[in-house]
Amino acid sequence: MPLPRSRPVSSYIGFACFALATLAPATSALAGTAVLHVPTDYPTIQEAVDAAAAGDEILLAPGVYGHSQDGTYLATIQDKQLTLRGTGAPEDTVLQNENDEWGSVGGIKLIRAGDTVLENLTLANMSMESVASVDSSPSIDNCHFLS
């Protein structure tokens, strides 16, 4: 009786790579990560932040975003790590501090927000201090600060 013919190892490696590539998006969906859109899904940044779970991504459509309803910070991210990303070039998505003084309160407040990411944004009438961080290690990538 002849022995069964073995397959080359490369065919198993190719299958494993295909399986991982196919299952990776499902795994992140199963893990509960979500993408929230402002203003399509949520009218304000803060409403999207409030609805988000740790690890979620909030995408901001191009436009100018002003104060939160309480007139202080545009958004307060607390006890969860998020990604807040403009969908276009940084100059297309503007977080505008509408307070009278440059560098005053009006930016983003991070409290125990882990490695939250701010990306592809212009922060107008703000300084680095307008991203208030308490027990957080934010990444600020491809963002512009304008006075």
Side-chain angles (χ1 to χ4, degrees):
M1 177 175 210
L3 293 174
R5 196 169 165 195
S6 64
R7 294 185 179 196
V9 173
S10 61
S11 67
Y12 292 109
I13 293 172
F15 176 75
C17 290
F18 171 77
L20 286 174
T22 304
L23 295 175
T27 302
S28 66
L30 291 175
T33 59
V35 177
L36 296 83
H37 296 86
V38 176
T40 307
D41 299 331
Y42 299 91
T44 67
I45 297 170
Q46 188 62 57
E47 288 178 73
V49 167
D50 292 343
D56 286 353
E57 179 178 25
I58 298 172
L59 297 180
L60 304 175
V64 177
Y65 298 88
H67 281 139
S68 61
Q69 291 179 341
D70 67 4
T72 57
Y73 287 94
L74 286 164
T76 299
I77 301 172
Q78 185 169 350
D79 296 323
K80 53 188 161 184
Q81 177 180 318
L82 301 174
T83 297
L84 187 62
R85 178 178 292 130
T87 57
E91 58 272 10
D92 296 336
T93 307
V94 179
L95 306 184
Q96 175 71 48
N97 180 0
E98 296 171 349
N99 289 331
D100 293 337
E101 294 180 32
W102 176 82
S104 62
V105 172
I108 305 290
K109 187 175 185 181
L110 306 170
I111 304 170
R112 295 177 303 280
D115 297 329
T116 288
V117 176
L118 306 177
E119 185 177 351
N120 293 343
L121 304 167
T122 292
L123 294 98
N125 199 25
M126 294 188 208
S127 66
M128 285 294 287
E129 289 78 27
S130 297
V131 179
S133 177
V134 177
D135 294 330
S136 304
S137 301
S139 293
I140 301 174
D141 301 324
N142 199 29
C143 291
H144 300 234
F145 288 85
L146 300 175
S147 55

